[in-house]
């Protein structure tokens, strides 16, 4: 609420597992309670966008989906790391969920908040991962079609059990799998960008485009970056932009209206 008084237009709630919020409180609360509280108590005309990261599929609550779908200040964006698609690999990672339980969350998101973006994280080459198990990661990606996916090849970390296992995946195999994941992720991201073509979207103007000083840049409520010609004096304002071009990670548009 102090940030609202200071003039901020957007805030991001940050936590490694933000769904654990409130478990150590008395009385016990949850993250959805916080979203509803902030949405109801932030004064109108101040903060207009609330974002958050990161959710954990094991602890994720359906009430968070309801909050994103129904609250006007909470942005329609879900960051839901899945890390791997194979149940055996997920168990060895001790993630606490399965392919099916993860996809059940995704189906609920798409049903209740169909315009939301879905982002994630994935690791390839976890010790012992076979080609068949890796294929399940591609299967999951093809079912979800992520707006943005952070991709990583497994690397041993000190003081972790997996770093000592004898079945490490050869670096060249991990690198090849990472390339396949990135190629598919790029295809899905472009497809998700193209859904904005011809639409008018709300953008919060952030700064100049460093590559074109005649343009400014901002983001949609779903987190897609947008570039369009306008004066930097619009920084911090909400504007409507008609999308004319769609790239893999960003959009181009034309200014329509300043709100």
């Amino acid at each position: 609420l102090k940030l609202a008084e200071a003039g901020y237009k957007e805030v991001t709630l940050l936590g490694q597992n933000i769904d654990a919020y409130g478990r150590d409180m008395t009385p016990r609360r949850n993250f959805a309670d916080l979203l509803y509280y902030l949405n109801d108590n932030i004064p109108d005309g101040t903060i207009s966008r609330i974002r958050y990261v990161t959710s954990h599929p094991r602890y994720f609550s359906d009430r968070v989906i309801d909050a994103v779908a129904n609250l006007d200040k909470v942005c329609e964006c879900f960051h839901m790391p899945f890390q791997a698609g194979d149940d055996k690999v997920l168990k060895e990672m001790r993630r606490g969920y399965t392919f099916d339980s993860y996809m059940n969350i995704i189906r609920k998101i798409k049903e209740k908040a169909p315009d939301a973006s879905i982002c994630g994280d994935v690791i390839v080459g976890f010790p012992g991962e076979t080609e068949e198990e890796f294929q399940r990661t591609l299967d999951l990606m093809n079912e979800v079609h992520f707006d943005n996916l952070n991709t990583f090849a497994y690397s041993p970390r000190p003081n972790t059990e997996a770093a000592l296992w004898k079945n490490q995946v050869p670096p060249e195999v991990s690198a090849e799998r990472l390339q396949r994941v990135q190629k598919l992720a790029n295809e899905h991201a472009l497809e998700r960008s193209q859904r904005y073509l011809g639409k008018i979207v709300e953008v919060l103007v952030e700064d100049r485009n460093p590559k074109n000083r005649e343009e400014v840049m901002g983001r949609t409520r779903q987190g897609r970056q947008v570039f369009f010609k306008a004066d930097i004096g619009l920084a911090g304002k909400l504007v409507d932009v008609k999308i004319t071009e769609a790239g893999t990670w960003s959009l181009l548009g034309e200014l329509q209206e300043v709100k």
Side-chain angles (χ1 to χ4, degrees), residues 29 51 73 100 115 122-123 143 173 195 219 232:
R29 295 180 175 87
R51 301 188 187 277
K73 293 182 177 67
D100 288 341
D115 199 39
V122 61
I123 297 172
E143 287 206 34
V173 174
R195 69 193 175 114
R219 294 185 183 275
I232 190 58

Side-chain angles (χ1 to χ4, degrees), residues 99 103 106-107 110 138-145:
F99 182 107
M103 285 308 306
I106 300 300
R107 282 190 287 271
K110 292 185 175 183
L138 300 181
D139 292 342
L140 188 147
M141 291 173 61
N142 279 319
E143 287 206 34
V144 177
H145 287 220

Side-chain angles (χ1 to χ4, degrees), residues 178-196:
L178 184 62
Q179 289 181 354
R180 289 156 65 188
V181 159
Q182 290 174 339
K183 180 177 183 295
L184 185 59
N186 288 349
E187 292 173 1
H188 291 162
L190 178 58
E191 172 195 303
R192 294 294 288 165
S193 285
Q194 289 172 338
R195 69 193 175 114
Y196 294 105

Side-chain angles (χ1 to χ4, degrees), residues 2-15:
K2 290 184 178 179
L3 292 177
E5 294 174 0
Y8 287 87
K9 300 297 183 182
E10 178 178 303
V11 295
T12 299
L13 310 177
L14 178 64

